Amino acid sequence: MPPTRREKQHAITREEIKQIAWEQMRQQGTAAISLRGIAREMGLTAPAIYRYFPSRDDIITALLMDAYTQFGDAMEAAAQQPAPSIYEQIVTIGLAYREWAVNNRIQYELIFGNPIPEYAAPAELTLPLARRAFVPLISAILEAMQMSDWQPKAHIPTLTPRLIDAMQPRWTAEGVPLEGVYLATRFWTRVHGMVTLELYDHTPPLIGDASEFYRLEIISLLEE
Amino acid sequence: MPPTRREKQHAITREEIKQIAWEQMRQQGTAAISLRGIAREMGLTAPAIYRYFPSRDDIITALLMDAYTQFGDAMEAAAQQPAPSIYEQIVTIGLAYREWAVNNRIQYELIFGNPIPEYAAPAELTLPLARRAFVPLISAILEAMQMSDWQPKAHIPTLTPRLIDAMQPRWTAEGVPLEGVYLATRFWTRVHGMVTLELYDHTPPLIGDASEFYRLEIISLLEE
DNA sequence: TCATTTTAGTTAACACTGTTTACAGTTTAC
DNA sequence: GTAAACTGTAAACAGTGTTAACTAAAATGA
């Protein structure tokens, strides 16, 4: 049955609450959600917010899920762009990672940043979304590894028995080569380090043009 | 003139306040400082805290400066350990970075994590401390670049005019080669990405043994 | 030893927060 | 037209940071 007029209005009000909450986070950080502030902005009082979200935690969870969804959308869109080679597809994914982060930094901070006091993300909701965002990268790397001209194989260190033992329970059932997971993790941690230190203003004082540094590094990541 | 007995007691009380503040951050995150909570823990009321720190911001600033100082101490100590070669010294610094972060994760979160609502770190205090922490790494890399057996030079991409223009104003006066700054930034962003994604529990679900992954990657960073 | 000054701590107050309860007005469904 | 559901409010409770005024204790100087 299609939603009633009232249900539509309810959903619109939920979106409005979320938009104002995002704006509060942009202004004051991810830990700065204020229900009274949101209500004030809407011309309401704080108890009215409880008609739309059971608690402040539920608002934060909704924002976090939206952030993961948008992130996954961006990674999937990047992976689906036509690319001359699989290697350039990986570069495209890497560039898209930073672009999404720079253009959506408060979402990035919410996903990857410090915990919010007295809030714990419900893993049963966020883990599937987190995996979804990671899949385009690991798929591309696994595809690259199948290429006859696959080069960086030489640069994977020999996986130690200790690391193999740690990884196998998570990936053997899925038939995913451990070297692929290793390379995807390497790529991800490198990309993430550059983006995070740039967004939090640690590398720009050193390197000046963090965007250009990132571009050069993304390209050289596949030449190593 | 040596501090009076009263001044010593004052300093001891300031340290006690800071220790309790650290413990609050460990329990609830960097944004969770509560003056009333600190006072309660000490058997005082909240206004008493204002005898020792002008505001909540001043407590946070004191914690942040302590964190940067300890971090700089750890980097300097790592750089001063005897090492068979300059390359192994760089590895030692890299391993020390993670060890410090893992053992002092709330300090790491305070330095590198999300902003605390309505708090801005005073850059005139934190920037010198941040630079001090970075110096051991960049010194080691610059020393390595002087070695006759310096290898990774081939792996530095050609610095584009755009990046050179951005970097030169910051480093030319100090006579620091831009390639050295580039490599130090690369090393730092890679180390930081691995450590951050591990501490915030993003890579352990993928890679199982993040410590072993880190060790392998640190070693291979200088083999590339 | 006593008076003065300084320090340390408290209470009360103000303005903010999240959340709940009870109530009232409006809208929707029957 | 009426009952039910939804939406919003006021009041209340318990938390927060911060200030002002006050008091007691400790330190200093005469």
Side-chain angles (χ1 to χ4, degrees), chain A residues 64-123:
Chain A
L64 185 56
M65 291 178 72
D66 284 355
Y68 268 118
T69 299
Q70 288 159 27
F71 183 43
D73 288 349
M75 296 300 99
E76 284 183 359
Q80 281 153 15
Q81 280 181 21
S85 72
I86 190 64
Y87 306 109
E88 286 175 20
Q89 189 188 57
I90 293 172
V91 166
T92 300
I93 293 172
L95 292 171
Y97 190 102
R98 176 183 174 273
E99 187 179 346
W100 186 81
V102 164
N103 291 334
N104 300 276
R105 76 165 284 165
I106 199 63
Q107 281 85 351
Y108 187 86
E109 286 188 29
L110 187 58
I111 293 176
F112 293 114
N114 291 5
I116 293 170
E118 294 181 1
Y119 173 76

Side-chain angles (χ1 to χ4, degrees), chain B residues 188-200:
Chain B
W188 182 28
T189 59
R190 290 181 180 187
V191 157
H192 188 81
M194 291 189 280
V195 170
T196 297
L197 287 171
E198 176 192 345
L199 287 186
Y200 288 62

Side-chain angles (χ1 to χ4, degrees), chain A residues 50-63:
Chain A
Y50 291 86
R51 302 292 178 195
Y52 299 94
F53 290 90
S55 70
R56 188 182 76 123
D57 278 8
D58 287 276
I59 297 177
I60 297 172
T61 298
L63 298 186

